[in-house]
Amino acid sequence: MTDRQQSTWPPTPRGYFAIGAERMSKSLNLGNLMRSAHGFGASFTFTVGATYRALEAFADTSKSQLHVPHYNWASLDDMALPNGCKLVGIELVENAVDLPSFRHPLRAAYVLGPEQGSLSDELLARCEHVVRIPTKFCINVAMAGAIVMYDRVRTMARFPDRPVGEGGPVAKASADGSRSRETGGKVGPEG
């Protein structure tokens, strides 16, 4: 990879996003969510009615609160998102869109429910979209947040297309001797 390619890798998605949770009660989950948000490039993190504050999020080994703004809103009435930012609930409810079929808004704030409960009816009513991760049962709130952020980055950044066969993009040499990624992959015995 050239120096220029390394400086732009991984591809940066357009727009911005934030992620948070309502009524979060476990500092380890908050720390994990904040660390993942920092790693995936979130613009800010937040809680609504949480028991723990960001500074008590001991699992946040990247110390994201030094790099990414965090808002602790005491109630839903206190929540103040930027203009044009769409609130997206992540919840296992009947009318939710499955994550693989969801087109992420350019500007979004994703909100997850508490560890042992669901998003409140009041918060669901404020959401412009509600999405569910297609799993057999509820998963850990921090893990759910990481899956949503990965899906957003994967679908909104300009990564090379997946190859038809197994494996990753094949490196292709250009006329000047530099190498670039190209899809294609190898076709195995099944293909």
Side-chain angles (χ1 to χ4, degrees):
M1 219 183 256
T2 67
D3 289 341
R4 183 177 182 280
Q5 288 171 320
Q6 286 177 341
S7 68
T8 60
W9 190 260
T12 305
R14 297 177 11 203
Y16 68 84
F17 76 94
I19 193 157
E22 181 186 34
R23 301 184 328 271
M24 187 166 253
S25 62
K26 295 182 179 170
S27 65
L28 288 176
N29 280 335
L30 177 57
N32 281 328
L33 184 63
M34 291 172 68
R35 183 175 190 269
S36 295
H38 182 201
F40 281 113
S43 296
F44 64 94
T45 59
F46 64 93
T47 56
V48 180
T51 305
Y52 288 94
R53 299 272 188 229
L55 295 177
E56 297 169 344
F58 299 116
D60 179 15
T61 56
S62 74
K63 306 222 182 303
S64 67
Q65 68 270 18
L66 300 175
H67 310 283
V68 179
H70 180 82
Y71 301 96
N72 290 305
W73 291 308
S75 70
L76 192 53
D77 292 335
D78 297 329
M79 179 189 259
L81 296 175
N83 287 336
C85 183
K86 295 185 178 180
L87 188 60
V88 179
I90 310 300
E91 190 60 76
L92 289 172
V93 294
E94 192 171 319
N95 61 343
V97 176
D98 285 328
L99 182 60
S101 300
F102 180 67
R103 184 171 299 278
H104 295 268
L106 187 62
R107 297 167 294 185
Y110 302 95
V111 62
L112 301 129
E115 291 91 344
Q116 296 181 359
S118 301
L119 289 172
S120 67
D121 290 338
E122 297 79 18
L123 196 141
L124 282 170
R126 281 193 53 183
C127 291
E128 293 195 43
H129 305 283
V130 180
V131 175
R132 71 171 159 234
I133 299 168
T135 58
K136 292 181 181 182
F137 47 82
C138 292
I139 57 175
N140 174 278
V141 67
M143 179 180 284
I147 290 169
V148 169
M149 290 183 283
Y150 169 81
D151 189 75
R152 179 185 174 88
V153 169
R154 173 66 185 104
T155 59
M156 296 198 65
R158 296 183 191 265
F159 287 95
D161 289 336
R162 291 183 191 258
V164 175
E166 293 177 355
V170 177
K172 177 183 172 189
S174 66
D176 67 359
S178 65
R179 299 182 70 75
S180 64
R181 295 175 188 218
E182 175 182 288
T183 59
K186 292 183 181 179
V187 177
E190 296 108 28

